[in-house]
């Protein structure tokens, strides 16, 4: 199962913001920490805010901070909400001349859909806190000076 690039950026964002002791970070700071272009992180922050996982403050001393809901959120549920594809494979538009000639009686499509759901279900027990708490990789990140809301 391959995650979309957008889901990857969203996961990196919540992992950084969910790390113990991290307060509020700007999208630019997050971008530098996770090695992803700023505009991609900015879009991820907007989506994660819409889902209620981040609290965002605008302005000079603004930034994003993970919410309690965000820390408790299931990784499987997060990935489901970020995956807008209906099917794992696109049977109607591909590099061939027209629609897939096998689509009428194809069993692979539903099997792949079940496999995707099994993948997400295996991640359901994990919360964002679980993937951040004791991660040696996160501890190695060169976090900027942490700003806490005043």
């Amino acid at each position: 199962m391959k995650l979309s690039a957008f889901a990857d950026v969203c996961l990196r964002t919540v992992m950084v913001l969910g790390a113990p002791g991290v307060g509020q970070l700007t999208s630019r700071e997050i971008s530098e920490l996770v090695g992803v272009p700023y505009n991609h992180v900015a879009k991820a922050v907007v989506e994660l805010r819409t889902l209620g996982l981040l609290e965002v403050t605008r302005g000079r001393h603004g930034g994003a901070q993970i919410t309690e809901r965000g820390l408790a959120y299931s990784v499987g549920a997060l990935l489901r909400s970020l995956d807008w594809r209906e099917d794992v494979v696109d049977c109607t538009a591909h590099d061939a001349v027209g629609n897939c000639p096998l689509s009428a009686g194809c069993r692979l499509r539903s099997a792949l859909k079940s496999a995707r759901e099994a993948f997400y279900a295996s991640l359901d027990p994990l919360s964002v806190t679980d993937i951040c708490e004791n991660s040696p990789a996160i501890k190695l990140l060169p976090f900027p000076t942490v700003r806490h809301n005043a």
Side-chain angles (χ1 to χ4, degrees):
M1 176 80 204
K2 184 174 180 176
L3 298 178
S4 68
F6 183 67
D8 176 35
V9 174
C10 288
L11 283 173
R12 291 182 194 206
T13 300
V14 295
M15 287 177 71
V16 165
L17 292 172
V22 173
Q24 185 171 282
L25 297 173
T26 66
S27 295
R28 193 149 319 274
E29 290 169 331
I30 296 167
S31 167
E32 290 169 7
L33 287 169
V34 299
V36 174
Y38 164 77
N39 60 329
H40 296 297
V41 171
K43 288 176 188 176
V45 166
V46 169
E47 182 64 25
L48 294 167
R49 178 181 181 223
T50 302
L51 292 171
L53 307 185
L54 299 183
E55 204 171 85
V56 178
T57 308
R58 292 183 170 270
R60 182 176 177 179
H61 300 290
Q65 188 170 358
I66 197 157
T67 62
E68 288 298 320
R69 179 175 188 230
L71 289 170
Y73 211 73
S74 160
V75 174
L78 176 58
L79 289 175
R80 271 187 207 91
S81 64
L82 297 173
D83 190 358
W84 300 305
R85 300 170 298 170
E86 287 186 30
D87 289 315
V88 176
V89 293
D90 186 3
C91 300
T92 58
H94 53 77
D95 293 340
V97 177
N99 292 345
C100 177
L102 304 174
S103 62
C106 182
R107 294 185 195 166
L108 180 59
R109 195 172 175 182
S110 63
L112 289 172
K113 196 178 267 191
S114 295
R116 178 176 59 187
E117 180 50 39
F119 172 72
Y120 293 147
S122 72
L123 295 170
D124 281 340
L126 285 173
S127 70
V128 170
T129 299
D130 294 332
I131 62 173
C132 299
E133 226 169 34
N134 296 311
S135 171
I138 289 177
K139 291 176 184 173
L140 294 174
L141 288 175
F143 283 107
T145 304
V146 177
R147 295 181 316 276
H148 295 283
N149 287 342

